[in-house]
Amino acid sequence: MRTLPVGDRALLVEVSSGEEAQALHAELVRRRAEGSLSVREIVPAARTVLLDGLTDPARLAAELTASEVPPAPSRAREVIELPVRYDGPDLADVAAHWGVSCREVARIHSGTEFTVAFCGFAPGFGYLTGLPARYDVPRRATPRTAVPAGSVALAGPYTGVYPRSSPGGWQLIGTTDAVLWDHARVPAALLSPGTRVRFVGAA
């Protein structure tokens, strides 16, 4: 674990894996809930957690580096189900990369329970983990200038859903009509770190 000061009131904590980042995020959220940590924002990423609004970042940095972070607890939260049509233009390429049929890609993907590791890129975009490492896929060699909203995509170890049309280089395997970001909804984002997600195949 490595800590880096960010301005006068923030701290960036670097760890060695996504699993460690999720565990650290869960522990910091728990401490804030019980009142032992005063912080305005806790923002997880792939292998970092940013804490903003600290009164004494140096003291917390010393405490974190001297302590052992427990594994992230199992989530009791309800699973969000996202209907998906496995009709993406890169489905055949992903099937070839996995060495299976397109139907098997859909079965494997829809049979996996995912967890939102962190959010970013665009409002409402969650980086979902859950697929075994053997199903990692590379990004496209040439990104698309416009990926349609609702596209279900893979890149590296992650699954994601594009909440709106935007450029992107992920492999598109399907489509969902779920609304990932709605500013009139509270909260606006359907997915947040720690959310459990399943994709349900639709006709």
Side-chain angles (χ1 to χ4, degrees):
M1 181 186 296
R2 185 167 76 127
T3 60
L4 300 168
V6 181
D8 296 329
R9 304 289 301 276
L11 186 69
L12 183 70
V13 185
E14 294 182 343
V15 292
S16 60
S17 70
E19 291 76 14
E20 289 183 23
Q22 291 176 51
L24 177 60
H25 175 252
E27 174 64 10
L28 294 170
V29 168
R30 184 194 67 77
R31 292 187 190 184
R32 180 171 62 178
E34 72 176 16
S36 64
L37 174 63
S38 177
V39 61
R40 186 172 65 248
E41 289 192 63
I42 305 172
V43 184
R47 287 184 293 278
T48 62
V49 179
L50 175 69
L51 297 101
D52 191 21
L54 298 167
T55 56
D56 191 348
R59 183 177 63 82
L60 180 61
E63 178 188 332
L64 288 175
T65 54
S67 62
E68 186 171 330
V69 177
S74 58
R75 297 280 177 175
R77 295 167 69 172
E78 182 180 353
V79 177
I80 290 180
E81 294 188 344
L82 301 180
V84 58
R85 296 178 298 278
Y86 287 98
D87 57 0
D90 301 321
L91 182 62
D93 290 341
V94 170
H97 185 77
W98 286 5
V100 300
S101 67
C102 291
R103 183 184 295 271
E104 184 68 2
V105 171
R107 188 195 67 77
I108 292 169
H109 192 260
S110 63
T112 300
E113 181 177 299
F114 294 88
T115 300
V116 180
F118 57 96
C119 297
F121 168 63
F125 188 95
Y127 290 76
L128 281 62
T129 58
L131 285 171
R134 65 181 178 275
Y135 296 127
D136 287 7
V137 297
R139 294 171 182 261
R140 287 174 51 84
T142 303
R144 292 180 170 90
T145 56
V147 174
S151 294
V152 178
L154 305 178
Y158 302 113
T159 288
V161 180
Y162 284 78
R164 62 185 183 193
S165 178
S166 65
W170 289 34
Q171 307 282 355
L172 308 184
I173 64 168
T175 311
T176 181
D177 294 325
V179 178
L180 278 293
W181 178 265
D182 181 355
H183 64 83
R185 182 174 58 200
V186 179
L190 180 63
L191 307 180
S192 60
T195 301
R196 297 161 60 200
V197 178
R198 275 194 177 276
F199 292 89
V200 179

